C-alpha cells in the first residue's frame, strides 16, 4: 500500500526564495538545498547595490557625469522594481485564484474521512 502524503510536511517545505527562483528562472534545483537568505530586504538591497555605487563613486568622484550615471542607474533600478513588483502581484493573484478554484472544505472532509479509517 502506498504511503499517504503528509500535507503539513508539504506546506512546511514552502520557501519563498525557491518559489521566486522557480518563477523567474524556471526549475533550478541546484540551489534549492541552500539555506534561505535570512537578511532583511533592506540589507539584501544594500548589499546588492553598494558595490555598484562605490564603483561609480571611484570612477567619477565629482561632476555632472557622475550625476548623470546615478540618474540613469536609479531610473533603471526603479523600473526593474516596478516591473517585478507588478509581476509578483499578478503571480500572487493567479496563485490565489487557483487556490480559490479548489474546494478546501471538500479536501478537509476527505482528510478527516481518511483519518477515521
Amino acid at each position: 500500500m502506498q504511503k499517504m502524503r503528509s500535507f503539513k510536511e508539504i506546506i512546511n517545505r514552502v520557501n519563498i526564495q525557491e518559489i521566486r527562483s522557480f518563477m523567474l528562472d524556471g526549475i533550478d534545483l541546484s540551489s534549492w538545498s541552500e539555506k534561505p537568505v535570512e537578511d532583511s530586504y533592506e540589507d539584501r538591497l544594500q548589499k546588492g547595490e553598494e558595490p555598484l555605487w562605490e564603483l561609480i563613486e571611484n570612477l567619477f568622484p565629482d561632476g555632472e557625469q557622475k550625476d548623470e550615471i546615478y540618474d540613469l542607474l536609479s531610473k533603471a533600478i526603479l523600473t526593474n522594481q516596478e516591473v517585478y513588483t507588478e509581476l509578483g502581484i499578478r503571480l500572487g493573484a493567479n496563485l490565489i485564484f487557483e487556490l480559490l478554484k479548489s474546494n478546501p472544505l471538500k479536501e478537509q472532509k476527505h482528510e478527516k474521512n481518511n483519518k477515521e479509517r
Side-chain angles (χ1 to χ4, degrees), residues 1 5-7 14-15 25 31 37 65 72 75 77 85:
M1 180 176 211
R5 290 186 186 194
S6 168
F7 292 108
V14 172
N15 175 302
D25 306 319
S31 67
V37 177
Q65 204 170 21
L72 286 172
K75 287 176 184 176
I77 289 171
T85 298

Side-chain angles (χ1 to χ4, degrees), residues 44-103:
R44 289 169 60 189
L45 287 172
Q46 183 179 359
K47 286 178 187 175
E49 293 175 5
E50 192 171 299
L52 177 62
W53 301 125
E54 286 177 8
L55 175 65
I56 293 169
E57 193 69 36
N58 290 332
L59 291 174
F60 307 98
D62 297 309
E64 277 185 38
Q65 204 170 21
K66 179 179 78 172
D67 292 339
E68 288 177 30
I69 291 172
Y70 274 159
D71 286 344
L72 286 172
L73 282 171
S74 294
K75 287 176 184 176
I77 289 171
L78 181 61
T79 300
N80 189 286
Q81 289 175 342
E82 290 171 347
V83 167
Y84 280 103
T85 298
E86 289 176 25
L87 182 59
I89 292 168
R90 289 182 185 276
L91 290 172
N94 284 346
L95 182 58
I96 289 169
F97 179 73
E98 288 297 318
L99 290 171
L100 292 174
K101 284 192 325 188
S102 69
N103 184 346

